[in-house]
Amino acid sequence: MSFRKRNLALSGPSSSSQKTEPESFTNPVPGVRPSPLDGRLTTSVGASSLDDLLGHSGLALGNSLLIEENGTTEFSTTLLRYFAAEGVVQGHKVHIVGVGEPWARDLPGVSGTVGEDTARLESRTGPEKERMKIAWRNTNQAAPTTFCHAFDLTKRLRVTDPSLFNFIPVRQASQLESPFQPILQSLKDHLTAAPKSVLHRLLIPNLLSPAIYPPDSITPKHILQFLHALRALLRQYSTQFVVMLTLPLMLHPRSTGLVRWMELLSDGVMELSPFPHSDQDAPPTTSGAATAQEEKPQGLVKVHRLPVFSEKGGGGLLGDDLAFTVSRRKFVIKPFNLPPVEGDTEAQRGDGEGKPAKVDIEF
């Protein structure tokens, strides 16, 4: 008697012929899109050049970004305002630690949008624009939403819903209690009570600044435990929570062990090094082929860690030197190159004249 193997599909009562799509695709969160590299959800930090620098065309959800700054300038605070303004425009919940409502009144206003689909749609006029909308409707796709906005620092953002903000004060705690414990408790309460469709952005400006934090906050048992707990919240709410914080290196240099531990507990670490204010001390700054209309960079950018990439064992981050430029309407990060040496006419012309021929080379 021969036995014949038969491929029979067994259907149980729980099987269904209809496939259910993930909630993240059926009900997308405004200002969130999948990464072009591995599909993880990302959100914009408010500056498109910084989004591109992070590797996933945005900051991956469930990650933190620490921005360190040398000197007494406030360029890192400008990035925080971009980050907060983008969250308000997208309808996200914005948590701000250590500062009050006056800080939020200085958020830059929207001057435009940054997005290929939206720009392509807005460039169409008349019947062609309507045909594009009909095509999206027929393919069961919503009209493209803006992922990153362009902001103008001379304008002020008009907030129509003040409930989007959650200002968390820094209170003086006893010697046994951590001054960061009320901050963590407030974040836990909001993350637990809010629906999963709400994205939360946490901003911590000037971490460990003596003007905001009590003296015992610099104790390693307080600040490192806070960053540990904050990272645990990021992993627990990996699709609802992102963090950006700034650290003044003038008060807490990178040579100290405490700052190095803080960097290890952050998913991404960047350093801003502004150029000197004096024109005589400042180096001749240019970015590649500078023109008369090109704005001069205002400092260098060093990337020490990248979210997700460094955690997975990524090696060398970026080969080119980077510089940042802050103007009225944008915060731009781009490659930085020194200009040709004065008197080097061949390098300034950029042509091949003056190159030695084979007969001119002597050994």
Side-chain angles (χ1 to χ4, degrees), residues 20 43 45 100-101 139 144 152 161 190 195 203 229 287 299 335 348 350 357 360:
T20 59
T43 187
V45 298
E101 296 183 7
T139 55
D152 191 340
D161 187 6
H190 282 81
L203 291 80
S287 56
Q348 292 178 359
D360 298 328

Side-chain angles (χ1 to χ4, degrees), residues 44 75 97 99 113 119-121 124 128 145 147 155 157 213 228 241 255-256 258 268-269 296 321 326 342 351:
S44 174
F75 293 114
V97 177
V99 293
T113 58
R120 188 168 67 251
L121 177 61
R124 303 295 193 270
E128 191 174 2
T145 58
F147 179 74
K155 299 179 180 179
L157 184 65
Y213 296 88
H228 266 291
F241 195 27
S255 58
T256 60
L258 179 63
V269 180
K296 293 184 178 180
D321 293 330
V326 182
E342 185 176 358
D351 51 19

Side-chain angles (χ1 to χ4, degrees), residues 70-275:
N70 292 288
T72 58
T73 53
E74 293 289 336
F75 293 114
S76 59
T77 304
T78 302
L79 274 178
L80 276 184
R81 296 187 192 278
Y82 275 90
F83 184 67
E86 184 67 36
V88 172
V89 174
Q90 300 289 1
H92 302 164
K93 187 72 174 181
V94 180
H95 307 268
I96 307 177
V97 177
V99 293
E101 296 183 7
W103 191 91
R105 296 195 191 105
D106 293 334
L107 296 182
V110 179
S111 62
T113 58
V114 180
E116 297 179 357
D117 295 336
T118 305
R120 188 168 67 251
L121 177 61
E122 295 298 331
S123 62
R124 303 295 193 270
T125 57
E128 191 174 2
K129 184 176 182 179
E130 292 298 326
R131 285 197 298 269
M132 292 185 67
K133 291 183 177 180
I134 294 174
W136 277 316
R137 194 182 307 118
N138 292 338
T139 55
N140 296 325
Q141 295 181 4
T145 58
T146 303
F147 179 74
C148 180
H149 293 79
F151 297 97
D152 191 340
L153 292 174
T154 61
K155 299 179 180 179
R156 292 295 170 260
L157 184 65
R158 184 175 300 176
V159 181
T160 58
D161 187 6
S163 63
L164 294 176
F165 290 104
N166 174 33
F167 299 98
I168 307 176
V170 178
R171 297 184 176 90
Q172 183 75 27
S174 62
Q175 296 181 356
L176 298 179
E177 296 180 355
S178 172
F180 301 102
Q181 188 59 35
I183 302 175
L184 292 173
Q185 189 60 43
S186 177
L187 292 173
K188 291 178 182 178
D189 295 341
H190 282 81
L191 288 170
T192 305
K196 294 183 179 180
S197 59
V198 177
L199 181 62
H200 297 258
R201 294 178 178 233
L202 175 62
L203 291 80
I204 307 180
N206 296 324
L207 183 61
L208 298 182
S209 172
I212 302 176
Y213 296 88
D216 57 343
S217 61
I218 198 175
T219 308
K221 69 177 182 179
H222 292 329
I223 180 61
L224 295 184
Q225 286 182 4
F226 169 68
L227 294 179
H228 266 291
L230 192 61
R231 195 169 193 181
L233 286 177
L234 286 168
R235 299 303 185 264
Q236 182 179 356
Y237 300 93
S238 58
T239 59
Q240 301 175 247
F241 195 27
V242 287
V243 177
M244 181 181 288
L245 55 162
T246 63
L247 179 69
L249 291 181
M250 189 175 183
L251 300 176
H252 310 283
R254 295 189 71 237
S255 58
T256 60
L258 179 63
V259 174
R260 289 304 179 98
W261 271 107
M262 294 171 62
E263 292 181 354
L264 291 175
L265 294 175
S266 303
D267 298 300
V269 180
M270 295 176 51
E271 180 182 352
L272 303 181
S273 301
F275 292 135

Side-chain angles (χ1 to χ4, degrees), residues 57-68:
S57 298
L59 179 59
L61 301 188
N63 286 267
S64 61
L65 179 61
L66 173 63
I67 301 178
E68 304 170 338

